[in-house]
Amino acid sequence: MIPASFDYSAPSTLKEALNLLKDIGDEAKILAGGHSLIPMMKLRFAEPEHLIDISNVPGLSYVNFEGDHLKIGAMAREVDLEDSKEVGEKFPIFHDVAKLIADPQVRNFGTIGGNLAHGDAANDQPAVMIALDAQVEITGLDGVRTVGIDDFFYGFYATAVQEDEILTGINIPVPTGRFGNAYHKSERKVGDYATGGVAVHVELDAEGTCTKAGIGLTNVNPTPLRASRSEEALVGAKLDDTTIESAAQYASEDCNPSSDLRGSEDYKRRIIKVLTKRMIHKALERAQ
Amino acid sequence: MEKEITLKINGEEYTQKVEPRTLLIHFIRENASLTGSHIGCDTSSCGACTILIDGKSAKSCTILAIQAQGKEITTVEGLATTEGVHPIQEGFKENHGLHCGFCTPGMMLRAVELLEKNPDPTEEEIRWGISGNLCRCTGYNNIVKAIKYAGAKIRGAELPSTEPVFVE
Ligand SMILES: Cc1cc2nc3c(=O)[nH]c(=O)nc-3n(C[C@H](O)[C@H](O)[C@H](O)COP(=O)(O)OP(=O)(O)OC[C@H]3O[C@@H](n4cnc5c(N)ncnc54)[C@H](O)[C@@H]3O)c2cc1C
Ligand code: FES
Ligand code: FES
């Protein structure tokens, strides 16, 4: 399958890219790794008239710890997080998720920015970013604005990134005390999108009381979902089996999966319950 | 709407006009007449079209030729040198790592990057490493052996046995 015809530019600065977006308007689309967009174009689900490839724009591929944040450039590839020892030490959740996203070839190309900007509830990074309370940096001709992850996903394939803007980076707060995080998804086979996935991040005080919790769910709602009731159940409590059980129960009740080829609604709720339980336990183990 | 692009495939430079929508796999097979890279699924699932772009394995059915502007591509035709076949090719030959051969070029290019990053992978690492490449013939065991063999060859370590392993 070959996509419908389109024009192509590969600007070498961010300003040039933003000017092109402004001039061409809504017929233009940003091309990052292309591993969500090109398949959609081959199937004619997307027929942009102009692709603006931002892979020549310098300074968007960083992954580094700066002050109390982990900063990830929009054009950092999935493999960059997977291969970073430093990231794995503080955020093993990124190694969990990388291994479950598609396959090595796709991860060599797919970008973190694209994974979020695509606005697909089936993608895995959104749930992780929800759990970690990420801030998304969006750049337009007027400058940079920062959007919290809870205000980022609008609807089906719709995000806070406007037509004349580019997602440029993601900032993740690095907690100082005890904390742990973990992600897992159930998939029919390696490389498949999630039947359901759960990202968990917990922070604990010296006594083991949970001071902060983040829980994000993959592919069980039209948009990536924060399991707020589950988080509330954990915060202020000692994470014993009863607490964890009720948090998992809330997640399974509060998600909105639809029955499809990957499983029935009921099956998916059960997957979410089991995975929430397991991921809280795993995050806790890692927080010791 | 054609645009001129220049890229290198196996060390040879190609400068051609292409439509932006030309997929890299089509450029490789049709413009450069290198038909070793295959098209299996055309949906980035099977890995038969795997090539290296600046040393990184990639599915060329999901990349535009124009995205490879200025890059160096390696296909299966570029693996052997005047010195002989590449260790991964020797590994596949010695371990009977293929039946019909359709998946083999992609499998080998993927293995080249895998071994470049880690020349001594465990069996599990190899199986995860080739999880984007499907083989409908071999059942994978001999492919895993072939990659282990090539790793040993690259490291200069003792070569593992090529005797068939019978699974009980
Ligand atoms: C076979 C296969 C299996 C996959 N399985 C998974 C999986 O299991 N889990 C998973 O999470 N993902 C999966 N993916 C998707 C993959 O991770 C994509 O690469 C990723 O979702 C999108 O990143 P990209 O860089 O390729 O974006 P592109 O495809 O280039 O872009 C996607 C969309 O985002 C927009 N966009 C991209 N970057 C920006 C930016 N910086 N600013 C503004 N807009 C932007 C584009 O305009 C486009 O609309 C799979 C892909 C394939 C091909
Ligand atoms: S043809 Fe490219 S992955 Fe199957
Ligand atoms: S040898 Fe036939 S598909 Fe692998």
Side-chain angles (χ1 to χ4, degrees), chain A residues 42 103 105, chain B residues 25 38-50 58-62 102 132:
Chain A
K42 287 165 88 173
D103 56 55
Q105 289 96 312
Chain B
I25 184 67
H38 295 151
I39 304 174
C41 63
D42 199 14
T43 57
S44 33
S45 307
C46 75
C49 64
T50 300
K59 292 181 166 175
S60 58
C61 69
T62 309
F102 195 83

Side-chain angles (χ1 to χ4, degrees), chain A residues 18-252:
Chain A
L18 289 165
N19 276 319
L20 276 167
L21 271 181
K22 190 181 109 198
D23 294 344
I24 305 164
D26 61 2
E27 296 304 338
K29 247 193 180 312
I30 296 292
L31 177 69
H35 276 52
S36 288
L37 186 53
I38 294 172
M40 288 184 78
M41 289 170 65
K42 287 165 88 173
L43 295 167
R44 302 293 196 278
F45 290 154
E47 291 189 43
E49 285 176 13
H50 200 121
L51 288 188
I52 301 170
D53 184 348
I54 54 170
S55 54
N56 293 340
V57 173
L60 292 180
S61 301
Y62 54 88
V63 174
N64 45 42
F65 286 91
E66 222 180 279
D68 47 8
H69 280 83
L70 166 61
K71 300 199 158 196
I72 304 173
M75 288 299 286
R77 315 277 168 171
E78 300 288 352
V79 67
D80 297 333
L81 294 185
E82 188 180 1
D83 284 354
S84 163
K85 260 213 173 103
E86 229 189 335
V87 168
E89 273 162 23
K90 287 253 187 318
F91 295 107
I93 193 169
F94 280 121
H95 285 194
D96 296 342
V97 66
K99 213 174 166 187
L100 294 167
I101 293 180
D103 56 55
Q105 289 96 312
V106 173
R107 296 198 294 272
N108 274 343
F109 265 74
T111 65
I112 311 297
N115 202 295
L116 298 183
H118 193 47
D120 186 350
N123 275 1
D124 296 293
Q125 290 290 3
V128 173
M129 298 298 176
I130 287 173
L132 297 178
D133 242 340
Q135 298 273 323
V136 185
E137 237 179 61
I138 301 172
T139 306
L141 281 170
D142 301 335
V144 185
R145 63 193 181 98
T146 306
V147 173
I149 197 74
D150 289 326
D151 299 318
F152 184 78
F153 301 105
Y154 275 21
F156 199 52
Y157 294 128
T159 71
V161 184
Q162 301 301 304
E163 271 157 13
D164 54 355
E165 292 180 316
I166 294 176
L167 192 167
T168 41
I170 299 119
N171 298 333
I172 293 161
V174 184
T176 41
R178 280 170 71 195
F179 67 96
N181 40 61
Y183 181 76
H184 195 63
K185 79 183 195 192
S186 146
E187 54 185 352
R188 294 174 301 177
K189 60 175 182 61
V190 169
D192 191 21
Y193 288 94
T195 305
V198 181
V200 172
H201 172 84
V202 292
E203 297 178 23
L204 310 170
D205 68 12
E207 279 77 51
T209 303
C210 177
T211 54
K212 192 170 181 223
I215 302 183
L217 308 180
T218 302
N219 218 6
V220 285
N221 191 62
T223 54
L225 188 68
R226 181 183 288 283
S228 307
R229 240 186 349 142
S230 311
E231 293 173 351
E232 284 157 22
L234 300 185
V235 176
K238 288 262 194 312
L239 302 187
D240 54 25
D241 286 349
T242 326
T243 311
I244 294 174
E245 178 75 22
S246 53
Q249 179 64 30
Y250 292 149
S252 73

Side-chain angles (χ1 to χ4, degrees), chain B residues 61-77:
Chain B
C61 69
T62 309
I63 291 169
L64 305 169
I66 202 165
Q67 285 177 284
Q69 158 70 23
K71 307 250 193 271
E72 299 216 10
I73 312 286
T74 308
T75 69
V76 68
E77 290 92 341

Side-chain angles (χ1 to χ4, degrees), chain B residues 86-99 103-109 111 130 138 142-147 149-150:
Chain B
H86 188 282
I88 193 68
Q89 291 173 308
E90 184 179 318
F92 272 73
K93 174 173 169 281
E94 293 301 323
N95 292 282
H96 201 87
L98 60 145
H99 290 183
C103 69
T104 314
M107 220 33 118
M108 291 201 293
L109 270 303
I130 57 170
T138 63
N142 286 356
I143 294 177
V144 173
K145 272 177 74 189
I147 296 173
Y149 177 103

